[in-house]
Amino acid sequence: MDLAIKLIVLLPLLAAAIAGLFCRVIGDRPAQIVTCAALLIAAALSVFVFVRIGFGPESGKLFVVKLFTWIDSGTFNVDWALRVDTLTAVMLIVVTVVSSMVHVYSIGYMAEDTSIARFMAYLSLFTFFMLMLVTSDNLVQLFFGWEGVGLASYLLIGFWYDKPSANAAAMKAFIVNRIGDFGFALGIFAVWMLSGSVGFEEIFGKAPQMAQMRIQFLGMDLPALETACLLLFVGAMGKSAQLGLHTWLPDAMEGPTPVSALIHAATMVTAGVFMVCRLSPLFELAPIALMVVTIIGAATAFFAATVGLTQFDIKRVVAYSTCSQLGYMFFACGVGAYSAAMFHLMTHAFFKALLFLGSGSVINCLHHEQDMRNMGGVKEKAPQTFILMWVGTLALSGIGVPFIFGNGVGFAGFYSKDIMLESAYGVHTTVGVIAYWLGVVAAFMTAFYSTRLMFMTFYGKYRGDHHTWDHAHESPSVMLIPLYVLGIGAALSGMVAYDWFVGHDWHAFWGHAIAVKSTEEVLHHAHEVPLWVKLAPLAFAIAGILLSYYYYIVRTDMPARTVKAFPGLHALFFNKWYFDEIYDAVFVKPALAIGRVLWKKGDGAVIDGLGPDNIAARAQDMAGVLSRFQSGYLYHYAFAMLVGVAGLVTYFMLSVR
């Protein structure tokens, strides 16, 4: 078991090192084979670990594999250890399965790229950092993985470094995440100050005492644990693109499509949700922080869905869907349904990776066309992609048939999205009810824009260049096989895993990997909500699909008429609620102006003018003058000494008088 855990984490690092450092020696094809093989082995081992911890003799147990002592400074000691419990095992499955499929898919998608070995190395490095994050046994190790995925995302989003928009998107992602990470670091410092430790077991053991403490922060006397949890959540907002720190996520589409699938589906953006669930024993003792988590999550789910209604870039539509679905996960955490949030994290990884890679298949089919206004009728050229994209769309929309065979029959999102909404309503709090209704309305919009993507892309007549259409083709098998694997997960994962995550077996499955008391109470109430609460999300989703069909198949003039009828609302949604423009006016332009003044006036005029440049120039001039006195003739030096002595004698004679 210990060996399997070590191999899962270290194989991607080894593959990244081989592909990245020796690609010029071994070539592109061996680099692809090494990275794909390492991830496929890691995925197989993750399944083994998941089965052993979830259902085997070690069910519900905690494994801690110590590798070495990392920091030993006075009383501060940090071990580099791999912590594996049910929560980690779920994340191992999600990360390695999706990442391995992305690796295989990239062989076909990036076939024409001249730097594919470097790309594969970056993918494996990204996966290693994410695995380090989810297996961390303390906050410092967690922060290492946290920052590592930020670095790797910068490398991947800006992979096409000769493309200015990709460089700008990579910088934006890196900088926005640094804002969130500053709050996260402060939260870690606060927890260490309160508990005297960064190890999870020690922190959780002292959580009740921490809840009674006060802390002085920015001159205010505040509840210590509430403050620490809020600061930690700021980090989650940045990494998981919640409202306010979400602006980097859509721009991350400038990277290659496999990057979008990896970042948006299973790795970086889910880190914030994982962190809140990992630290749920702290959060459940911080009700104000949980209230903030609920409000931010619900607002993000609604906001991102409104923007997704109006976008035309096929990848950006799916990107805003990711932002919205992460909001669902956070408000589930906020009401205490941690296992429900992880359930949706798992199902979402499958159908969102499927949608991103399916979008990449469409882009590959149409020779890098991404604007849905230039698509149409693509099902004729890419029938397998068409079917698989419908599987992902129905899973995202949460479509199923309730109440038959116990929990109903449906696609993955049908189970996970509904239990989150039922949990929000079941807690019977004001923020819970608000989250429920915002989530239901967002479900309507999600179904609308998801099927809008399908209708604009695959139905009707092709609206692009006829030369592109003539050469359009289905993707190769190396790209389609990962789609089928993810399609199976999008279709069946909710049905298979329902009882493990939120059904009758959830307690035995999860053990003490999450806050048990809170989750148990919330799930109990969720299963007892009124019938209309259970049916409303499905009804709204079906209504969204029917309206989309009417708009984009039956009456294709309706979208333009609606825009004309509501120009202000459309402009608000299309321009992403003007967040980028507001941030540009409030933060970016003033920062550039200040920087320009400091550069021109401060650095140029003052520092360079009066400082190094001026002093160096004067010193050089003086050296030139003094060098003239160094003739090398003895009588010149004797004459200078004689003049000096005469001067001194004259000075003393005048002084005496």
Side-chain angles (χ1 to χ4, degrees):
M1 187 72 169
D2 288 2
L3 179 60
I5 294 171
K6 293 176 183 177
L7 288 174
I8 290 170
V9 176
L10 297 178
L11 278 174
L13 177 62
L14 179 62
I18 294 173
L21 299 177
F22 303 104
C23 58
R24 295 188 179 183
V25 177
I26 64 176
D28 287 344
R29 182 60 68 183
Q32 295 170 349
I33 294 172
V34 167
T35 51
C36 290
L39 264 297
L40 289 169
I41 294 171
L45 291 173
S46 296
V47 173
F48 167 75
V49 171
F50 178 80
V51 171
R52 288 287 298 272
I53 291 181
F55 315 101
E58 291 88 4
S59 178
K61 290 184 179 179
L62 167 66
F63 288 85
V64 178
V65 182
K66 180 179 176 180
L67 300 181
F68 53 85
T69 299
W70 186 16
I71 301 173
D72 187 1
S73 178
T75 59
F76 185 68
N77 299 289
V78 178
D79 290 331
W80 198 290
L82 306 178
R83 177 190 182 94
V84 179
D85 54 13
T86 307
L87 180 62
T88 306
V90 170
M91 291 301 298
L92 291 179
I93 284 282
V94 168
V95 172
T96 57
V97 171
V98 173
S99 182
S100 61
M101 293 302 101
V102 169
H103 275 70
V104 174
Y105 178 93
S106 298
I107 294 175
Y109 190 85
M110 302 293 289
E112 298 178 1
D113 200 286
T114 57
S115 302
I116 188 170
R118 177 168 62 92
F119 182 76
M120 302 299 284
Y122 287 170
L123 288 181
S124 295
L125 183 65
F126 190 105
T127 307
F128 162 73
F129 280 125
M130 189 65 193
L131 292 171
M132 285 304 310
L133 191 157
V134 301
T135 57
S136 57
D137 189 45
N138 56 75
L139 288 171
V140 178
Q141 192 176 330
L142 175 65
F143 193 71
F144 169 81
W146 193 272
E147 293 302 300
V149 293
L151 166 65
S153 69
Y154 174 80
L155 297 173
L156 285 168
I157 295 170
F159 177 75
W160 287 322
Y161 55 82
D162 55 349
K163 185 179 177 183
S165 59
N167 287 326
M171 289 180 61
K172 187 175 184 179
F174 196 79
I175 293 169
V176 172
N177 272 277
R178 296 295 71 71
I179 297 170
D181 293 351
F182 179 68
F184 188 49
L186 290 178
I188 293 175
F189 295 153
V191 171
W192 175 76
M193 184 181 70
L194 296 172
S195 66
S197 175
V198 292
F200 291 139
E201 288 304 311
E202 295 82 358
I203 293 170
F204 298 157
K206 296 180 180 178
Q209 292 91 329
M210 293 164 62
Q212 306 301 319
M213 297 179 183
R214 311 288 295 182
I215 191 173
Q216 299 297 320
F217 183 70
L218 299 177
M220 298 178 287
D221 181 54
L222 301 170
L225 190 57
E226 296 279 11
T227 304
C229 288
L230 285 171
L231 290 170
L232 292 168
F233 179 60
V234 170
M237 287 177 63
K239 198 66 69 181
S240 296
Q242 292 301 282
L243 188 63
L245 295 178
H246 67 281
T247 54
W248 68 270
L249 192 62
D251 289 357
M253 297 301 97
E254 293 295 334
T257 298
V259 174
S260 304
L262 192 59
I263 291 177
H264 284 243
T267 53
M268 182 170 167
V269 296
T270 62
V273 179
F274 167 80
M275 184 268 288
V276 173
C277 291
R278 170 61 77 205
L279 299 179
S280 57
L282 300 184
F283 276 89
E284 73 167 354
L285 299 176
I288 296 175
L290 285 180
M291 187 183 300
V292 172
V293 173
T294 305
I295 294 171
I296 295 294
T300 303
F302 177 83
F303 154 77
T306 62
V307 180
L309 294 172
T310 60
Q311 301 304 301
F312 292 107
D313 186 309
I314 188 171
K315 287 171 63 178
R316 284 182 182 266
V317 174
V318 185
Y320 276 105
S321 168
T322 298
C323 193
S324 182
Q325 297 303 304
L326 289 166
Y328 278 94
M329 299 177 210
F330 274 112
F331 78 62
C333 290
V335 299
Y338 301 103
S339 64
M342 290 302 301
F343 187 23
H344 195 60
L345 186 154
M346 184 269 294
T347 60
H348 174 265
F350 289 114
F351 60 70
K352 188 53 59 68
L354 174 60
L355 287 172
F356 266 116
L357 297 185
S359 299
S361 182
V362 172
I363 294 168
N364 180 72
C365 171
L366 299 179
H367 196 64
H368 306 296
E369 178 61 67
Q370 295 185 201
D371 193 327
M372 295 188 297
R373 290 171 291 190
N374 298 327
M375 298 181 185
V378 178
K379 65 178 180 179
E380 178 183 334
K381 296 288 187 175
Q384 296 181 71
T385 300
F386 165 70
I387 294 171
L388 290 163
M389 284 285 282
W390 260 122
V391 172
T393 298
L394 294 174
L396 171 61
S397 302
I399 300 303
V401 181
F403 309 127
I404 63 172
F405 303 112
N407 300 317
V409 176
F411 294 90
F414 169 72
Y415 300 93
S416 57
K417 183 185 68 179
D418 283 14
I419 192 63
M420 292 188 297
L421 291 168
E422 292 161 13
S423 298
Y425 188 89
V427 296
H428 298 297
T429 62
T430 301
V431 293
V433 173
I434 291 173
Y436 172 80
W437 282 112
L438 286 177
V440 169
V441 175
F444 167 80
M445 292 187 286
T446 299
F448 181 90
Y449 67 67
S450 299
T451 49
R452 168 181 177 262
L453 181 153
M454 294 297 299
F455 296 142
M456 290 186 70
T457 302
F458 293 100
Y459 291 80
K461 295 182 179 180
Y462 183 69
R463 298 178 293 275
D465 179 72
H466 72 277
H467 294 293
T468 300
W469 179 253
D470 292 339
H471 295 89
H473 56 84
E474 180 64 276
S475 297
S477 298
V478 73
M479 294 173 63
L480 289 175
I481 291 173
L483 293 182
Y484 277 105
V485 173
L486 295 170
I488 292 171
L492 302 178
S493 61
M495 186 186 309
V496 172
Y498 182 87
D499 283 337
W500 307 341
F501 282 82
V502 295
H504 299 296
D505 302 331
W506 82 267
H507 202 298
F509 178 76
W510 283 99
H512 294 279
I514 55 175
V516 175
K517 182 179 179 182
S518 173
T519 303
E520 184 172 28
E521 182 178 353
V522 172
L523 289 181
H524 173 73
H525 290 301
H527 291 304
E528 295 184 348
V529 296
L531 180 62
W532 68 266
V533 174
K534 296 176 179 288
L535 293 178
L538 178 61
F540 272 70
I542 293 174
I545 293 174
L546 293 176
L547 184 63
S548 177
Y549 179 81
Y550 179 73
Y551 263 57
Y552 293 96
I553 299 296
V554 179
R555 290 284 304 275
T556 55
D557 63 314
M558 285 302 296
R561 294 180 62 182
T562 303
V563 170
K564 187 176 181 180
F566 303 98
L569 194 62
H570 174 266
L572 178 67
F573 293 169
F574 184 74
N575 291 288
K576 302 158 286 188
W577 292 44
Y578 297 101
F579 268 96
D580 285 309
E581 290 78 4
I582 293 171
Y583 285 175
D584 187 61
V586 175
F587 299 112
V588 177
K589 288 182 178 177
L592 288 174
I594 293 171
R596 192 172 294 109
V597 170
L598 293 175
W599 168 39
K600 293 290 188 181
K601 303 297 184 183
D603 197 33
V606 177
I607 297 176
D608 290 343
L610 302 179
D613 287 357
N614 188 54
I615 292 174
R618 300 294 77 77
Q620 187 175 11
D621 292 342
M622 183 62 69
V625 173
L626 294 175
S627 67
R628 297 175 185 175
F629 293 95
Q630 306 296 319
S631 65
Y633 294 107
L634 183 60
Y635 62 86
H636 283 170
Y637 300 143
F639 176 74
M641 292 174 65
L642 181 61
V643 171
V645 170
L648 286 173
V649 171
T650 303
Y651 172 77
F652 283 114
M653 288 177 63
L654 293 174
S655 298
V656 171
R657 291 181 181 179

